[in-house]
Amino acid sequence: MKIHHPIQYGELQKTITINPKKQSSDSSITDKDNEKSNASCSSSSSSKQKSIMESMTYDKSSKRWVSLTNSVLGCLAKDMLLFYTCEKDGFKKMLKTFDSRYNLPGRKYFSAATPKLYQSTHDQVQEEISEALFFAGTTDLWSSRTMEPYMSYTVHYVDKDWNLQSRHLQTVFFPDDHTGENLAHGLKDTLDSWGLKEENQVCLTTDNGSNIVKATQLNNWQRLQCFGHRLHLAVNSGLKDDRIDRAIRITKKVVSSFSYSYKKKRELEKKQIEAELPKHSLITACDTRWGSTQKMIERFLEQERAVQQVLSADRKSVSLIPNWQTIEVLECVNSAISPLAEFTDALSGEKHVSVSMVMPVIALLNDDILSPKPEDVALTTEIKTRILKYMNEKYKDESSRALLNIATFLDPRFKNKFLTDEEKFDTMTKLKLEILEPLEPIVATEGENLEDSPAKKLCLGNLFKRRDRIQETNKDLTPGEIINSEIERYLALPNIDYNSEPLQWWKEHLIIFPKLSSVVKKFLCIPATSCASERLFSVSGQIVSCKRTCLKPDKVDQLVFLSKNLRLD
């Protein structure tokens, strides 16, 4: 301050230094008055110091100002906040409290800074996905609040540390007709813009729309049907019954009557206390989500006594009370489809391997979940039979089934446990052909990854010794015989626990299975569902809100991309 701000420094010194002559002339002041005088002087001094400090704001070229501004920009982009937030009094007061010397720029500054942040994040993501030898994709179409159509694309891959990663690449404005030809061209443009090779894309997971199916056929891409969409259609097929339709309609009317009446909600809470029922609200069903219908039925059956008491007390609502036949139908439906809800959650994750679980789940549905039980009533059995028939028919496609069988075989939790004898032979034959295809060398990278793996700490020396013995045994064998040897040793090992992570197992056994591990990343990166795109639409809906209906398509793409990919560490 003395060098750069001499005037302020002088004023500060005056407030701190006490004049000795004035002290001697005021010697008659009592001790109490001295204390008051000193307190007043100290308060005045601190007030002046604070005033001086606040007047010295950060220069916009200083590191501190740049760091704080970048943090605010990251917060706005990552949490999908309006740029106008930075001009609201509460937000400005909060930042002023954190650092009184920081002057927050306006929304125009942050809007103009977004493209630069997008470009830096874009380069970072592109560098990450360029290291992946193989990748899979998910895509879907979505219309914004302003009815502007967009097409999304998300890439999935296994990184060098054997962790499953997903990166949203684009939410591109798609004003053309949504024909198969246009979608095929748009998807190719997406890969080209990110420098991704079509031959390295293992599979594209999509819904069952005829246009996207045709697009994958035109591009000659391997396509996997979304398990979530298939299960939704299977449940709808199983619930096609006049008795079930009537029961669900009645339940929706009852739920709707409580949704629009505060009086009924209040009375329901009282009846719940009297009947010692959980204080749960009724759930509204969504026609495009079978799980919401199941949750609605389950909650209605839970609160049946309280609901009937509330409706019977209102003469206008007595007609809504469901009869015993309706209750029986709802119980049959809930008994048949409630166990299926767990599979949707298990197979829709993005951070764990899911594609290898599809065939085991189909087997579990046939052998246990949807198999008729002695205690099942006729309607429950009919629902299960129709659902199971639909699922089995849709997974007869040879191309998809071969892909799923290979993925299941490469998962150390399952291996060939859920394959028929014919499928075991076909899977191993196709797996050998995949391994024999020329692959780029990745030995150095894998060796580096192994240094941080649990195998190094536990039994790395034993693994190296075992590898040396295997190499000595295989030195006179042909490539095909070496692969056969690896497969035999792989199958000889016990299956790992169902709750274990298969990719971490492969990371630890990379040394002793070099051939098999070379294709693991290719198949286990495939998502079983297209839920990544569905989640993306939820993010997009929050960005293109009613207060942001004038956003340009390019800005929408940037904001969605930053929300999904920006790292704040």
Side-chain angles (χ1 to χ4, degrees):
M1 286 185 67
K2 186 176 181 180
I3 296 173
H4 297 288
H5 308 281
I7 297 175
Q8 289 87 343
Y9 178 76
E11 292 179 357
L12 186 62
Q13 288 298 106
K14 289 178 182 178
T15 61
I16 296 174
T17 305
I18 301 175
N19 193 337
K21 292 182 179 179
K22 187 175 182 179
Q23 277 190 334
S24 61
S25 64
D26 295 339
S27 57
S28 60
I29 300 177
T30 61
D31 293 342
K32 187 174 182 180
D33 291 338
N34 274 327
E35 291 177 4
K36 290 182 178 180
S37 178
N38 290 337
S40 176
C41 181
S42 176
S43 175
S44 175
S45 173
S46 62
S47 176
K48 289 182 179 179
Q49 290 182 49
K50 183 179 179 181
S51 177
I52 293 171
M53 293 299 291
E54 287 180 352
S55 66
M56 299 168 57
T57 59
Y58 294 119
D59 186 84
K60 291 188 177 181
S61 61
S62 64
K63 288 185 178 179
R64 178 64 175 167
W65 188 89
V66 172
S67 175
L68 290 173
T69 305
N70 287 340
S71 295
V72 174
L73 177 59
C75 172
L76 297 176
K78 186 67 177 177
D79 296 336
M80 300 172 286
L81 300 177
L82 303 175
F83 290 133
Y84 177 67
T85 303
C86 66
E87 295 183 354
K88 291 185 176 180
D89 293 338
F91 192 80
K92 292 166 71 175
K93 174 63 177 176
M94 177 184 67
L95 293 184
K96 208 69 176 177
T97 304
F98 293 158
D99 195 328
S100 59
R101 298 177 63 188
Y102 176 62
N103 275 344
L104 181 66
R107 57 179 173 179
K108 290 184 178 180
Y109 174 89
F110 290 110
S111 180
T114 300
K116 184 178 179 181
L117 180 62
Y118 167 79
Q119 189 59 48
S120 62
T121 309
H122 177 283
D123 295 341
Q124 181 183 359
V125 171
Q126 190 163 33
E127 183 179 355
E128 292 175 1
I129 63 177
S130 64
E131 297 176 356
L133 185 57
F134 299 106
F135 64 91
T138 54
T139 186
D140 210 338
L141 293 163
W142 167 78
S143 294
S144 69
R145 184 183 295 269
T146 57
M147 299 310 297
E148 293 178 328
Y150 291 87
M151 183 175 69
S152 70
Y153 184 87
T154 304
V155 67
H156 307 263
Y157 63 96
V158 180
D159 64 15
K160 61 182 180 181
D161 293 323
W162 288 85
N163 295 315
L164 190 60
Q165 302 287 352
S166 63
R167 292 286 180 268
H168 164 64
L169 299 188
Q170 279 190 349
T171 306
V172 62
F173 183 54
F174 203 83
D176 299 330
D177 292 340
H178 297 169
T179 62
E181 291 78 7
N182 290 338
L183 292 180
H185 183 69
L187 290 170
K188 280 193 173 186
D189 286 346
T190 297
L191 295 186
D192 291 341
S193 65
W194 282 87
L196 298 174
K197 298 178 180 179
E198 291 184 46
E199 55 269 23
N200 291 346
Q201 179 177 257
V202 186
C203 180
L204 187 68
T205 305
T206 71
D207 59 18
N208 306 310
S210 58
N211 52 357
I212 194 65
V213 172
K214 184 177 180 180
T216 55
Q217 293 172 349
L218 291 173
N219 286 342
N220 198 25
W221 291 355
Q222 173 69 55
R223 172 186 165 271
L224 180 66
Q225 51 190 326
C226 171
F227 183 84
H229 283 86
R230 280 299 181 206
L231 186 59
H232 174 76
L233 295 175
V235 172
N236 286 346
S237 174
L239 299 183
K240 283 185 178 179
D241 188 288
D242 292 339
R243 294 168 294 176
I244 298 175
D245 289 341
R246 180 179 177 279
I248 292 178
R249 283 199 308 271
I250 292 174
T251 307
K252 286 182 177 180
K253 287 182 180 179
V254 173
V255 173
S256 178
S257 70
F258 280 84
S259 300
Y260 293 100
S261 174
Y262 174 74
K263 181 180 177 181
K264 283 190 174 66
K265 288 183 179 180
R266 184 185 61 195
E267 294 300 318
L268 180 63
E269 292 178 359
K270 294 179 182 179
K271 299 303 180 182
Q272 287 172 339
I273 296 174
E274 294 175 4
E276 297 183 351
L277 293 172
K279 293 182 179 180
H280 294 160
S281 300
L282 299 180
I283 298 175
T284 304
C286 174
D287 292 336
T288 58
R289 299 288 183 271
W290 74 267
S292 66
T293 302
Q294 185 271 325
K295 292 295 183 184
M296 178 190 70
I297 294 174
E298 185 178 52
R299 181 62 54 82
F300 176 80
L301 293 174
E302 175 192 86
Q303 302 293 331
E304 177 196 348
R305 281 184 296 160
V307 169
Q308 287 194 356
Q309 290 175 13
V310 173
L311 295 177
S312 60
D314 183 3
R315 121 182 116 78
K316 295 181 179 179
S317 303
V318 172
S319 60
L320 293 175
I321 300 177
N323 55 30
W324 64 269
Q325 293 100 330
T326 301
I327 300 299
E328 279 193 358
V329 170
L330 293 176
E331 288 176 346
C332 291
V333 171
N334 189 55
S335 174
I337 67 176
S338 58
L340 301 177
E342 299 178 7
F343 297 118
T344 303
D345 297 335
L347 294 176
S348 61
E350 297 180 48
K351 294 298 182 182
H352 58 265
V353 176
S354 58
V355 66
S356 59
M357 298 176 65
V358 173
M359 297 312 296
V361 165
I362 297 296
L364 188 61
L365 294 179
N366 281 276
D367 299 338
D368 182 23
I369 304 299
L370 295 179
S371 62
K373 304 292 191 303
E375 64 273 15
D376 289 342
V377 298
L379 182 57
T380 301
T381 303
E382 290 176 15
I383 295 172
K384 290 182 175 181
T385 302
R386 286 196 291 265
I387 295 175
L388 195 58
K389 180 181 178 182
Y390 183 93
M391 293 295 289
N392 288 332
E393 286 180 353
K394 296 304 178 182
Y395 280 95
K396 285 182 178 179
D397 177 61
E398 292 184 5
S399 177
S400 298
R401 197 172 182 88
L403 179 72
L404 294 171
N405 285 339
I406 293 177
T408 304
F409 184 87
L410 292 173
D411 192 325
R413 297 174 295 180
F414 310 118
K415 298 181 181 177
N416 59 5
K417 182 177 180 180
F418 297 97
L419 306 182
T420 64
D421 292 338
E422 183 179 354
E423 287 177 335
K424 291 177 184 177
F425 177 79
D426 292 341
T427 300
M428 285 190 285
T429 302
K430 292 174 181 177
L431 189 59
K432 291 174 189 176
L433 294 175
E434 289 285 347
I435 296 174
L436 290 173
E437 288 183 359
L439 300 174
E440 295 181 16
I442 52 175
V443 176
T445 303
E446 304 298 353
E448 292 171 2
N449 295 339
L450 190 61
E451 295 299 317
D452 298 326
S453 70
K456 176 180 181 293
K457 301 175 183 178
L458 299 175
C459 54
L460 186 58
N462 293 335
L463 288 174
F464 275 112
K465 291 178 182 179
R466 186 172 180 180
R467 184 200 56 178
D468 292 340
R469 291 196 302 269
I470 292 170
Q471 288 181 343
E472 183 66 24
T473 304
N474 294 343
K475 65 180 182 179
D476 295 328
L477 300 179
T478 63
E481 292 172 335
I482 294 175
I483 296 171
N484 286 333
S485 175
E486 277 197 18
I487 291 176
E488 290 175 1
R489 286 185 280 108
Y490 170 67
L491 293 175
L493 293 176
N495 292 10
I496 63 175
D497 186 77
Y498 289 138
N499 294 321
S500 301
E501 285 293 332
L503 290 178
Q504 293 306 308
W505 186 90
W506 278 108
K507 180 180 179 180
E508 295 169 12
H509 293 78
L510 176 67
I511 294 177
I512 58 178
F513 298 114
K515 300 294 184 182
L516 280 177
S517 61
S518 65
V519 294
V520 169
K521 289 184 177 182
K522 180 175 182 179
F523 289 97
L524 296 191
C525 70
I526 303 171
T529 68
S530 59
C531 288
S533 296
E534 299 287 345
R535 295 188 183 100
L536 194 64
F537 299 155
S538 298
V539 172
S540 303
Q542 295 180 55
I543 289 175
V544 189
S545 62
C546 57
K547 294 184 178 181
R548 272 181 159 178
T549 55
C550 294
L551 278 177
K552 301 297 182 184
D554 288 345
K555 186 70 75 173
V556 172
D557 185 21
Q558 293 174 9
L559 292 174
V560 174
F561 179 86
L562 289 173
S563 176
K564 297 296 289 185
N565 297 310
L566 181 62
R567 295 179 180 176
L568 301 178
D569 49 2

